[in-house]
Amino acid sequence: MAKPSKDKDRRAVAAELRKQQERAEKRRTRAILGAVVVVALVIIGLGAYPLIRQEQVAGGELEEIGAAAGAANCQEVVKKSAEGQNDHREIGTDIVYQDAPPAFGPHYPQTAGFNRKFYSTSDRQDLEYYVHNLEHGYNLLWYDETIADNADQLAAVKAIASKFEGDELTDKFIALPWTEEDGKAFPDGAHIALTHWYANPETLEDQEGVWMYCDAPSGQVVSDFVEDYPYTDSPEPNAM
């Protein structure tokens, strides 16, 4: 008569073991799902950080972005007699510019356009398009590979460029990279260059290339430069 009781005990033990296994499996499943969620959040966070950082930096006024004017360690403005107005070369022609970066010179018949205010090394067009933009009164901010490799510095450059995302002639501004393939490095260890193609606004003569070199991006410096060298002081100020 004891046998049925023993069978019942074995079934109870087996049932309890199954329950324990099921609970353990559920714990493992939850742990795996939790790990997957954490990894996914980390990946999303890493991808979103540059955009979040840029939005944070761009949240203030132009003058508040990047380094203060004094901390940007900018050099004295350099000027050089300019030439090349209406000197259009066939698209695809390789034009050698003596200055790093160019502030004037022969160029392609087309500009790089008005709407884009920031370019990276992956989408920047040939230099000759941007020199034509200079002829139309654009102020260009060139950043070198040191800035491109620094997330905070690059975010400041993007934030500065975003302040010109309007449709007015006063928004003639482009930030773009300068690489070692383009030519020599900026002078005296600078990593930022601002350029403008100046012309007397009354006569469109006395044309000059204008350069300012700095160690770091500064919204205050850009604001002052754009004020000192407006689009109206250029060979073709009314062209986009």
Side-chain angles (χ1 to χ4, degrees):
M1 298 296 294
K3 185 175 181 180
S5 177
K6 291 181 179 180
D7 291 342
K8 183 177 181 180
D9 291 341
R10 283 197 295 269
R11 287 195 297 271
V13 171
E16 181 62 26
L17 288 174
R18 284 195 298 271
K19 290 180 181 179
Q20 292 177 1
Q21 290 173 347
E22 290 173 356
R23 287 195 292 268
E25 187 63 31
K26 289 180 179 179
R27 287 195 296 271
R28 283 195 295 270
T29 300
R30 287 195 293 268
I32 292 172
L33 289 174
V36 170
V37 169
V38 170
V39 171
L41 290 175
V42 169
I43 293 173
I44 293 172
L46 290 174
Y49 174 77
L51 180 58
I52 294 172
R53 178 62 179 152
Q54 179 187 338
E55 290 178 347
Q56 290 174 339
V57 174
E61 297 297 325
L62 171 61
E63 293 79 4
E64 299 172 348
I65 298 173
N73 196 26
C74 297
Q75 302 168 25
E76 293 293 325
V77 169
V78 176
K79 297 181 180 180
K80 183 185 297 186
S81 179
E83 56 185 17
Q85 183 179 4
N86 291 322
D87 186 355
H88 296 163
R89 307 291 177 86
E90 183 178 355
I91 292 177
T93 302
D94 186 18
I95 301 175
V96 177
Y97 297 105
Q98 298 302 318
D99 299 297
F104 60 85
H107 46 273
Y108 289 165
Q110 300 175 9
T111 69
F114 175 79
N115 294 326
R116 287 285 301 277
K117 305 301 179 179
F118 174 85
Y119 290 86
S120 68
T121 53
S122 64
D123 59 18
R124 197 206 72 187
Q125 304 176 58
D126 292 334
L127 297 179
E128 291 84 354
Y129 291 106
Y130 300 98
V131 175
H132 197 159
N133 283 84
L134 283 165
E135 186 183 42
H136 290 184
Y138 284 68
N139 285 298
L140 302 188
L141 184 158
W142 307 78
Y143 61 93
D144 71 3
E145 290 164 303
T146 297
I147 300 296
D149 292 337
N150 185 307
D152 288 339
Q153 298 276 47
L154 188 60
V157 171
K158 291 180 179 179
I160 290 171
S162 73
K163 296 302 181 181
F164 296 89
E165 290 179 345
D167 54 8
E168 303 293 334
L169 291 176
T170 50
D171 295 313
K172 288 184 175 183
F173 181 92
I174 294 175
L176 68 164
W178 177 263
T179 70
E180 60 181 7
E181 287 79 16
D182 296 319
K184 58 188 178 182
F186 298 158
D188 300 324
H191 302 298
I192 294 288
L194 293 168
T195 60
H196 182 82
W197 187 339
Y198 171 84
N200 185 304
E202 296 181 359
T203 65
L204 299 183
E205 298 177 352
D206 305 319
Q207 296 187 17
E208 295 178 318
V210 181
W211 292 262
M212 174 178 276
Y213 296 98
C214 305
D215 287 355
S218 168
Q220 180 63 65
V221 170
V222 169
S223 178
D224 293 342
F225 190 86
V226 170
E227 182 176 356
D228 291 341
Y229 303 101
Y231 78 92
T232 51
D233 296 358
S234 66
E236 298 179 16
N238 295 319
M240 295 294 282

